[in-house]
Amino acid sequence: MARKLLFDLRVKAESGKAVLYFGKGTPAYQADPEDRNPLNIRIYRKEEPGFVFGQDYLEYFDGIDPREADLIFEGRLPAKNGKTYMFADETAEIGRTYAYWVTADGQEAPTGPVPVRVRDPLVWWPRAAVEGYMDRLAAEFPALAAAEEYGRTVRGRPIRGLVLGNRRRCVALVGLVHAGESGPELMLPAAERLLRECGDLLADAGLALLPAVNIDMRELQTEGVPAYLRTNFNGVDINRNFPAHWETVDTSYGQDTSDPHVTTYRGEAPFSEPETRALAAFAERTEPLAAFSFHCLASICGDRFLTSKFAEGDRAFAERAVPLLEAYTEGFGPGERPAPLLQFECTAGSFPSWMYLARGVPAFDLEYDGRPGARAALTDGTTRELLREYQERHYRGIRRVLERIRDEEGSGHP
């Protein structure tokens, strides 16, 4: 096979458009290092509406025939340093999945396909937006809010949180343990409303937020990786990496947590991952009375509460947990109860199991609530309107939990 003139094609979603980056192959560069005779480049694109987030993965794109693609550009592009190219596809649309190829005169077969999902940055918040939101709240409300760092990701990014109000009696909110799920888009707007509207409440019952744990992989998700991403950059499921019966193999989703080739892999040892240690440091420093970890998919989760399977039958645990969940659901969906209030499903190695076994704290994974309107999130169909609805629901639920804790302070309950 002839060596290709163009290589290393990458496509990113940036500000609602698709941007292609690719390079001139080494022989072509060596033959014309100053790019005095620019290559005639062709770029092809094929939309893939059949790709389903959460069900299909990157092998879906293997073998797609470039002859079925549309030519969207032909011409000469300036080569940075004589070797690298950039092309912005201004006609790409938010909410669509595409495959791209590039080729040049003299290249027998095109380079590609490389897929991208153009996501709405107002639905899938990039890291810069999350960081900026926290910093803005901390600066605007210095008496009530403080941004803090709890660790670093595999790739060295800071894992930061926000603590509001009363640190001695607080509730923890955790987001993006799994990159393709939910967190900052729901909890940070709730935090802002509480700061603006409920300063007195926060003085009695505080809130500790860790909105984005799995930042490395979330960035790939916001940059357009079409498939659902679950593990951290090392391929470890953070929600299986805690020292909570970690040695027990779990086979949820038909996968063996001891197998490093599956997306529920528990890691080489408990606390092997820096993200797991950062989440533990967050819990140890804030000492919450309860913790809610946001899951489901595509920036949305509901009021279906999963807790450690090891807590089943613990009456004292239930007596502490149920009133908090009742308060959350009262705010989240008054008069609605789409799922059983409490389900004991969180596995060995999970954050809720560790919080229960190691710290005696009620902790819950919030999942899909069964409401038909939220089903779109399961296939990456979350809209701005749906997100606004769930931001309002979670604000009301979180506020009701804080009110319950405030009201219990004088009653003698923990």
Side-chain angles (χ1 to χ4, degrees):
M1 179 180 292
R3 185 173 285 112
K4 293 186 177 182
L5 297 172
L6 302 175
F7 82 122
D8 197 24
L9 172 62
R10 304 179 187 186
V11 188
K12 291 184 178 181
E14 298 181 6
S15 302
K17 59 188 176 184
V19 182
L20 286 68
Y21 300 89
F22 53 99
K24 187 187 295 185
T26 300
Y29 171 72
Q30 291 175 337
D32 185 14
E34 297 182 6
D35 203 37
R36 293 180 176 177
N37 185 27
L39 296 173
N40 184 49
I41 292 171
R42 293 181 294 281
I43 299 175
Y44 297 87
R45 184 185 77 190
K46 184 176 184 293
E47 186 181 353
E48 289 296 329
F51 182 88
V52 179
F53 178 80
Q55 299 179 28
D56 295 319
Y57 292 85
L58 295 183
E59 63 270 14
Y60 173 98
F61 299 94
D62 293 344
I64 295 177
D65 192 341
R67 292 173 296 183
E68 299 175 357
D70 297 319
L71 177 67
I72 63 169
F73 174 83
E74 181 172 12
R76 305 185 190 279
L77 292 173
K80 181 180 178 181
N81 299 324
K83 188 167 184 177
T84 59
Y85 301 94
M86 186 275 284
F87 174 82
D89 180 6
E90 303 283 355
T91 64
E93 297 181 24
I94 287 175
R96 298 180 183 268
T97 302
Y98 302 100
Y100 288 89
W101 295 259
V102 296
T103 190
D105 288 350
Q107 180 170 314
E108 293 182 4
T111 300
V114 175
V116 69
R117 172 81 169 177
V118 184
R119 294 192 167 96
D120 186 345
L122 297 181
V123 171
W124 292 79
W125 292 7
R127 181 174 68 97
V130 176
E131 296 278 341
Y133 206 125
M134 288 193 291
D135 289 338
R136 177 173 62 81
L137 293 182
E140 188 173 350
F141 300 94
L144 280 175
E148 301 177 358
E149 182 177 321
Y150 297 95
R152 298 262 169 167
T153 67
V154 171
R155 304 190 75 181
R157 294 184 170 108
I159 300 174
R160 300 173 67 225
L162 194 67
V163 181
L164 314 182
N166 192 331
R167 289 174 174 261
R168 296 179 296 103
R169 294 180 60 79
C170 71
V171 171
L173 306 180
V174 176
L176 299 186
V177 168
H178 298 140
E181 300 185 5
S182 64
E185 301 88 352
L186 297 173
M187 64 179 67
L188 286 173
E192 180 168 11
R193 284 190 64 181
L194 288 166
L195 286 166
R196 296 193 184 283
E197 303 171 11
C198 306
D200 290 344
L201 173 60
L202 288 172
D204 294 325
L207 200 62
L209 299 87
L210 196 66
V213 176
N214 194 354
I215 302 169
D216 293 339
M217 302 303 278
R218 177 60 167 219
E219 278 297 275
L220 295 180
Q221 207 84 85
T222 61
E223 291 171 356
V225 172
Y228 162 69
L229 299 177
R230 180 182 178 91
T231 68
N232 74 347
F233 194 76
N234 284 340
V236 175
D237 184 341
I238 298 166
N239 214 30
R240 301 292 185 274
N241 190 235
F242 283 87
H245 295 299
W246 174 90
E247 67 284 353
T248 302
V249 172
D250 182 81
T251 55
S252 301
Y253 309 112
Q255 298 184 337
D256 181 328
T257 55
S258 67
D259 183 349
H261 305 293
V262 302
T263 60
T264 59
Y265 176 49
R266 65 188 177 185
E268 293 185 356
F271 280 152
S272 64
E273 305 310 300
E275 294 88 353
T276 315
R277 298 192 296 272
L279 179 46
F282 167 75
E284 289 164 355
R285 282 165 55 179
T286 59
E287 297 186 313
L289 301 177
F292 296 89
S293 182
F294 289 28
H295 285 267
C296 195
L297 291 169
S299 304
I300 295 293
C301 69
D303 60 339
R304 178 183 170 218
F305 304 99
L306 309 186
T307 195
S308 173
K309 61 174 57 178
F310 306 107
E312 190 165 12
D314 185 335
R315 180 177 297 179
F317 172 86
E319 288 176 350
R320 283 182 293 152
V322 168
L324 298 175
L325 304 188
E326 288 177 340
Y328 209 120
T329 58
E330 286 168 6
F332 189 92
E336 304 171 9
R337 184 63 62 79
L341 185 63
L342 182 59
Q343 296 172 269
F344 297 91
E345 296 185 17
C346 293
T347 66
S350 67
F351 174 64
S353 289
W354 178 74
M355 288 291 280
Y356 170 69
L357 293 170
R359 305 191 64 79
V361 174
F364 314 94
D365 284 352
L366 277 64
E367 291 286 359
Y368 171 58
D369 53 29
R371 291 177 174 85
R375 183 172 293 277
L378 304 181
T379 54
D380 194 8
T382 302
T383 62
R384 296 181 188 181
E385 294 73 22
L386 179 61
L387 180 58
R388 283 194 291 268
E389 175 192 338
Y390 272 72
Q391 287 170 340
E392 173 67 24
R393 286 182 177 273
H394 282 285
Y395 164 71
R396 296 196 311 254
I398 294 163
R399 186 185 66 194
R400 285 292 297 119
V401 169
L402 297 183
E403 289 169 347
R404 176 63 65 94
I405 288 174
R406 176 200 61 193
D407 296 342
E408 288 181 347
E409 184 174 11
S411 69
H413 293 294

